[in-house]
């Protein structure tokens, strides 16, 4: 609803002054957000409730609503607070800048994998997230690209980190729920490996038998380097074909 969006905008971009004295100082918007992030870091976003956050603060759920009106707004505040832990992309060579931006995102997701459990396409962005995005745009702007190309270049890097991050977050969630690590789970799936035969899966069987799956390259490091290599080719091309947003979903 529009009112919910407006409420998030005000909380994110026009935060109330933090009380410094008296009983009200014991509870504030920033303290509620900090406590909520600790809950989500420990047990995932599914475990996050206003009651659970209140218990963490030694308070009541009703007292939290004076600072954060609901869970949706709380999640918006938590996401922006997580972005606030990252550093702005410094000026300099564009590839170095984009790599720095990607590594900051990756560190944020590793610290707060619950962020990747959230639907992000319509989550209200806050000032911390937007200033980081702005700095990433700035480092690419020196290339003389069209505005839409600047957006596309930064988005390509962001989407890569989002993708590999979601795989990581899924593993964290599964291990938390089952108590079994990803490696342990796959190593005990003998009924599956029995079907990996040369006649049915010749290449997969070859890779398996030669240890290819045991010596996998780091998915973040390998993928980031290849994405940046591809962007170098795009930036340095004498003629860059125009690519427009598809009208098909």
């Amino acid at each position: 609803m529009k009112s919910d969006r407006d409420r998030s905008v005000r909380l994110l971009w026009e935060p109330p002054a933090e009380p410094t004295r008296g009983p009200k100082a014991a509870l504030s918007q920033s303290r509620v957000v900090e406590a909520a992030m600790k809950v989500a870091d420990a047990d995932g976003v599914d475990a996050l409730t206003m009651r659970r956050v209140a218990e963490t603060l030694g308070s009541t759920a009703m007292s939290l609503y004076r600072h954060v009106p609901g869970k949706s707004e709380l999640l918006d505040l938590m996401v922006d607070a997580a972005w606030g832990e990252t550093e702005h992309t410094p000026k300099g060579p564009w590839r170095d800048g984009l790599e720095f931006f990607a590594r900051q995102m990756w560190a944020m997701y590793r610290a707060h994998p619950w962020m990747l459990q959230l639907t992000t396409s319509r989550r209200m962005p806050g000032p911390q997230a937007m200033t980081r995005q702005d700095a990433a745009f700035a480092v690419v702007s020196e290339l003389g690209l069209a505005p839409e190309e600047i957006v596309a270049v930064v988005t390509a890097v962001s989407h890569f980190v989002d993708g590999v991050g979601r795989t990581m977050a899924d593993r964290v969630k599964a291990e938390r729920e089952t108590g079994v690590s990803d490696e342990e789970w796959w190593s005990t799936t003998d009924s599956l490996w029995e079907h990996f035969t040369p006649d049915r899966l010749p290449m997969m069987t070859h890779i398996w038998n030669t240890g290819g799956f045991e010596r996998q390259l780091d998915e973040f490091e390998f993928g980031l380097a290849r994405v940046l290599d591809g962007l170098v080719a795009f930036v340095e091309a004498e003629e860059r074909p125009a690519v427009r947003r598809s009208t098909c979903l």
Side-chain angles (χ1 to χ4, degrees):
M1 295 175 61
K2 185 177 185 297
S3 60
D4 294 336
R5 297 199 300 270
D6 292 345
R7 211 158 46 180
S8 278
V9 170
R10 286 194 298 272
L11 287 168
L12 286 160
W13 294 87
E14 305 166 25
E18 295 283 327
T20 57
R21 295 181 180 179
K24 289 185 178 179
L27 198 61
S28 63
Q29 179 178 298
S30 63
R31 285 204 66 209
V32 172
V33 172
E34 181 182 0
M37 291 176 71
K38 288 180 179 178
V39 170
D41 290 343
D43 299 317
V45 75
D46 292 340
L48 183 68
T49 64
M50 298 298 276
R51 182 183 298 277
R52 175 78 183 277
V53 176
E55 290 173 352
T56 301
L57 290 167
S59 186
T60 65
M62 289 303 297
S63 64
L64 266 59
Y65 290 112
R66 292 197 296 269
H67 304 277
V68 180
K71 184 175 177 179
S72 178
E73 294 86 356
L74 177 57
L75 288 168
D76 286 339
L77 291 166
M78 290 164 60
V79 168
D80 204 52
W83 273 102
E85 297 172 0
T86 67
E87 298 179 35
H88 290 256
T89 301
K91 294 182 179 180
W94 71 269
R95 176 168 178 153
D96 292 347
L98 283 182
E99 181 176 345
F100 182 88
F101 176 64
R103 291 188 183 282
Q104 288 293 302
M105 285 185 67
W106 181 234
M108 176 180 68
Y109 288 154
R110 286 175 65 86
H112 308 295
W114 51 266
M115 293 179 69
L116 293 156
Q117 294 178 250
L118 304 175
T119 300
T120 59
S121 62
R122 295 190 180 184
R123 185 154 298 285
M124 195 59 63
Q128 302 291 354
M130 289 298 92
T131 54
R132 273 51 169 190
Q133 191 85 5
D134 190 77
F137 287 153
V139 79
V140 179
S141 68
E142 306 298 327
L143 295 171
L145 301 176
E148 61 271 24
E149 292 175 329
I150 294 174
V151 173
V153 166
V154 176
T155 299
V157 174
S158 298
H159 282 181
F160 162 72
V161 184
D162 284 349
V164 72
R166 280 190 166 77
T167 300
M168 177 270 297
D170 286 345
R171 292 170 181 159
V172 170
K173 185 173 184 289
E175 183 169 351
R176 177 185 294 120
E177 292 176 348
T178 65
V180 178
S181 71
D182 206 53
E183 184 177 352
E184 290 173 324
W185 192 87
W186 284 106
S187 67
T188 57
T189 316
D190 295 336
S191 59
L192 171 64
W193 310 135
E194 292 172 359
H195 298 283
F196 276 52
T197 57
D199 58 322
R200 177 177 286 178
L201 300 167
M203 199 63 230
M204 292 281 286
T205 303
H206 169 71
I207 294 173
W208 174 265
N209 289 335
T210 54
F213 290 113
E214 297 175 4
R215 301 189 306 272
Q216 293 187 59
L217 302 179
D218 185 287
E219 55 193 357
F220 174 77
E221 296 294 342
F222 179 85
L224 177 60
R226 303 295 75 75
V227 169
L228 294 174
D229 288 345
L231 289 174
V232 168
F234 170 76
V235 168
E236 295 180 351
E238 292 184 6
E239 293 186 12
R240 293 190 295 271
V243 179
R244 296 287 177 253
R245 179 187 291 273
S246 172
T247 57
C248 300
L249 296 179

